[in-house]
Amino acid sequence: AAAWVEVEGKRVPMHLQLSFPGSEVWRGTLPGGVGAYRILVRTQDGKEEVFGPFNPPERPFAEVAWVGEGVGYQIFPERFYNGDPGNDALALETDEYRFNQVWQRSSGPKPHLSHWSDPPSPLHCCHQYFGGDLAGVLAKLPYLKALGVSVLYLNPIFDSGSAHGYDTHDYLKVSPKFGDKSLLRKLLDEAHRLGMRVIFDFVPNHTGLGFWAFQDVVRRGPRSPYWNWYFIKRWPFLPGDGSAYEGWWGLGSLPKLNTADPGVKRYLIEVAKYWIRFGFDGVRVDVPGDVLNPHAFFKEMRAELKAIKPDAYLVAEIWQRDPSWLRGDEFDSLMNYAIGRDILLRFAKGGSLALYNARRALADLARVYALYPEAVAGMGFNLITSHDTARLLTELGGGGLKDVPSPEARARQRLAAAMLYALPGLPVTFQGDECGFTGERPADPPHELNRYPFQWEKCHGETLVFYQTLAGLRRELPALRSAVFRSYYGEGYLLAFLRGEPGEGEVLAAFNNGVEAVTLPLPPGGWRDPLEGRTYRKEVSLPPLGFRYLVHLGR
């Protein structure tokens, strides 16, 4: 089989890019400014079929260029670094407990401050405060620069009632426990000076109990001009009583906003515009699928944000594959858990080939990249772990917060990270994974041990150097920063794919999730390993739980 693009009577060859059971995807590059074109296909029995004519879209979905060029890092500010102990006590003054009258009448534990290395308490998830703040992020920017980071994603930093910040009290105010707008301005300016972009976390689906509109409803009931901003079932009520109003997942602490109300929608979009104007480079949206009339809402939001900052980066917290959000009129990327967890993590875990082998992993990757426009792949927000998952090392057999990881678990983490950094788009590391920390998500309190404070003095040096090396390879090898992904090899424990335009400079990324060395047959020509400085032809060996990025020398 073969295929061509025909433009003005001239044939431009296409190449087989992706294959999975029942499907093939062929790729060709059109010269700029062309009009109509046709696609010619020669089938396996030698017949030629013609499709078209087609016309290129007037406004193709264009990649936000800086995203795929970079390396991403997620910061959970309350647990990252305490740069200003003077603001620690302010966490208690703004906590949900001040507004939650149901909680106040209970005999349960109350919000409290802890020292940085104190053990997690039953309120670890949300109301045990350790003092991390924006001053701490600012202090650690040189560390992040040395790690190769160029894109920072901050969990919510606005005034809220918890350690996690997803219960907003004031969308236009920095949480006092983190600092203020002048400190945020200093942080953004310094990050930009160091060549870093910064993305903020936006929560349009629900607020916290201390949000001014909700408090007005509590006081005035149906007489409140904000009555229709929420879904109230009865009034009067006690704030915190999830049976009296609709809350996210039924939680009384997170009253759901009525985003179908024009006033709510306008307020939220104006908030997002405010922070983009303030200096943020993009926005990650929390649970967009739970917002009422979500596609209409985010089409409007995108149009207004892109009018202010055309290269603003818009990311949706969608965990599954879903191209409906990525048609060029809503988001630029999803949080690609569907790649990182459903494919990379499963492969890195290894084990029985009957469970998940390289052939299945390669086919699953091909299905993902066949599903989305290439521009979307090139600015993918790629991650395996986050504040909402167990830590990467824990996922790969390294144990929980108090455990000592095995050498095999650490090797599997390196394998997973090498795969993540080889994909098109932005590899995003959750704070501390680069230090080889562990942390589980137990069902019983204390919860969310993956969010335990970053213990800086316990950073695993070998793992940190490895992440720095991966970032260096992405800087050194342009193909790793391109949007082009091509299937190559998947058998047993051995997975390999090609990155970049075919020819000289293309990178072959290969991964062995088995505990014995394996041999990979190479495409024609010479292939240089930039870490070894050695060139291979015909075949190359991959060590147990090992990887290679090989650069095509074109001869």
Side-chain angles (χ1 to χ4, degrees):
W4 300 264
V5 180
E6 185 182 74
V7 181
E8 298 175 351
K10 296 181 180 179
R11 291 188 174 190
V12 178
M14 302 178 76
H15 60 264
L16 178 62
Q17 183 187 12
L18 308 169
S19 60
F20 48 95
S23 299
E24 288 184 350
V25 176
W26 289 66
R27 180 181 183 276
T29 304
L30 289 172
V34 302
Y37 63 92
R38 301 191 304 167
I39 295 176
L40 283 62
V41 175
R42 181 183 297 150
T43 60
Q44 289 180 334
D45 58 9
K47 295 180 180 178
E48 277 198 7
E49 297 189 30
V50 180
F51 302 90
F54 305 104
N55 287 296
E58 289 185 18
R59 296 180 63 190
F61 192 176
E63 195 178 324
V64 176
W66 55 264
V67 177
E69 294 283 325
V71 168
Y73 192 86
Q74 179 187 351
I75 291 178
F76 193 86
E78 214 283 318
R79 310 285 169 80
F80 185 60
Y81 185 64
N82 189 347
D84 179 12
N87 59 26
D88 293 1
L90 298 179
L92 301 182
E93 295 183 17
T94 57
D95 187 86
E96 173 199 335
Y97 184 80
R98 295 186 63 216
F99 304 94
N100 191 325
Q101 294 179 26
V102 174
W103 188 2
Q104 290 169 9
R105 297 182 182 196
S106 75
S107 59
K110 296 176 175 54
H112 59 96
L113 302 178
S114 294
H115 297 295
W116 196 253
S117 299
D118 282 355
S121 81
L123 293 183
H124 179 264
C125 152
C126 312
H127 303 282
Q128 179 182 14
Y129 295 97
F130 292 89
D133 48 30
L134 293 183
V137 179
L138 180 62
K140 292 298 183 180
L141 286 180
Y143 165 86
L144 296 170
K145 181 70 174 178
L147 187 59
V149 170
S150 59
V151 181
L152 293 180
Y153 154 44
L154 303 178
N155 283 111
I157 60 169
F158 308 121
D159 190 16
S160 69
S162 66
H164 56 70
Y166 288 96
D167 48 352
T168 314
H169 289 171
D170 190 335
Y171 285 89
L172 297 175
K173 179 182 179 183
V174 173
S175 175
K177 64 181 176 287
F178 292 153
D180 55 24
K181 282 183 185 175
S182 64
L183 180 58
L184 177 59
R185 165 69 61 211
K186 188 175 181 182
L187 171 59
L188 291 177
D189 288 348
E190 181 62 11
H192 290 154
R193 188 186 72 78
L194 292 172
M196 299 181 192
R197 313 270 184 155
V198 188
I199 299 168
F200 72 94
D201 211 331
F202 183 45
V203 190
N205 180 68
H206 48 266
T207 69
L209 300 181
F211 183 57
W212 50 265
F214 186 76
Q215 283 296 309
D216 195 77
V217 170
V218 171
R219 289 191 301 270
R220 301 167 65 184
R223 294 184 297 111
S224 169
Y226 308 109
W227 178 259
N228 289 325
W229 282 37
Y230 294 93
F231 300 93
I232 309 300
K233 300 174 184 177
R234 68 172 188 275
W235 183 86
F237 60 80
L238 296 179
D241 179 359
S243 68
Y245 48 86
E246 188 171 333
W248 185 68
W249 281 26
L251 295 171
S253 59
L254 298 173
K256 180 176 174 61
L257 283 166
N258 176 15
T259 44
D261 180 279
V264 175
K265 183 168 74 168
R266 179 45 40 200
Y267 173 78
L268 291 168
I269 291 176
E270 290 299 327
V271 165
K273 289 163 64 177
Y274 175 86
W275 290 114
I276 291 295
R277 287 193 180 103
F278 189 87
F280 281 98
D281 302 286
V283 54
R284 177 265 194 189
V285 175
D286 184 61
V287 296
D290 294 345
V291 169
L292 296 178
N293 303 328
H295 291 295
F297 183 97
F298 293 111
K299 282 180 175 134
E300 190 170 336
M301 190 183 88
R302 178 189 180 90
E304 297 195 32
L305 294 184
K306 293 283 188 176
I308 296 169
K309 193 179 188 71
D311 69 343
Y313 180 45
L314 311 182
V315 181
E317 187 206 4
I318 302 291
W319 287 55
Q320 64 277 6
R321 306 175 196 179
D322 187 349
S324 70
W325 303 92
L326 301 171
R327 293 174 175 159
D329 57 357
E330 291 183 58
F331 289 98
D332 296 316
S333 180
L334 310 181
M335 293 183 77
N336 284 325
Y337 291 106
I339 298 175
R341 298 187 67 75
D342 298 353
I343 304 174
L344 304 192
L345 182 60
R346 288 178 72 190
F347 183 76
K349 284 181 178 178
S352 169
L353 290 178
L355 294 176
Y356 199 67
N357 58 31
R359 180 179 296 183
R360 288 184 61 190
L362 188 64
D364 284 348
L365 284 169
R367 286 187 182 95
V368 169
Y369 290 116
L371 190 63
Y372 297 131
E374 192 167 283
V376 170
M379 54 182 169
F381 191 96
N382 302 326
L383 73 170
I384 304 175
T385 57
S386 72
H387 65 295
D388 284 327
T389 72
R391 286 202 167 277
L392 183 55
L393 187 51
T394 293
E395 296 271 22
L396 292 169
L401 185 63
K402 298 179 180 179
D403 296 318
V404 177
S406 67
E408 179 177 331
R410 291 202 184 276
R412 291 195 182 278
Q413 175 178 355
R414 293 192 295 272
L415 179 69
M419 295 175 71
L420 184 70
Y421 274 64
L423 294 179
L426 179 75
V428 182
T429 297
F430 179 56
Q431 66 179 45
D433 276 354
E434 80 281 5
C435 283
F437 294 149
T438 52
E440 68 272 42
R441 299 184 77 228
D444 299 318
H447 298 299
E448 313 291 5
L449 297 182
N450 58 308
R451 302 178 186 178
Y452 187 69
F454 194 127
Q455 302 299 303
W456 290 90
E457 74 285 356
K458 295 182 180 178
C459 186
H460 187 254
E462 182 184 349
T463 303
L464 180 63
V465 169
F466 183 79
Y467 275 79
Q468 291 171 333
T469 300
L470 292 178
L473 287 169
R474 279 183 65 92
R475 285 194 303 272
E476 178 186 340
L477 307 176
L480 291 180
R481 306 193 302 273
S482 97
V484 184
F485 175 99
R486 191 150 57 107
S487 303
Y488 177 63
Y489 188 92
E491 291 292 336
Y493 300 105
L494 183 53
L495 169 68
F497 49 79
L498 291 155
R499 296 279 285 106
E501 296 286 351
E504 186 175 356
E506 185 177 24
V507 168
L508 177 61
F511 310 92
N512 173 18
N513 76 346
V515 294
E516 296 181 2
V518 290
T519 299
L520 173 69
L522 294 173
W527 295 85
R528 182 180 64 86
D529 185 325
L531 293 178
E532 289 184 345
R534 181 178 171 185
T535 298
Y536 295 88
R537 297 177 184 272
K538 295 186 179 179
E539 65 180 28
V540 67
S541 175
L542 270 77
L545 303 178
F547 85 103
R548 290 184 189 271
Y549 297 164
L550 299 170
V551 185
H552 192 198
L553 300 178
R555 59 187 186 277

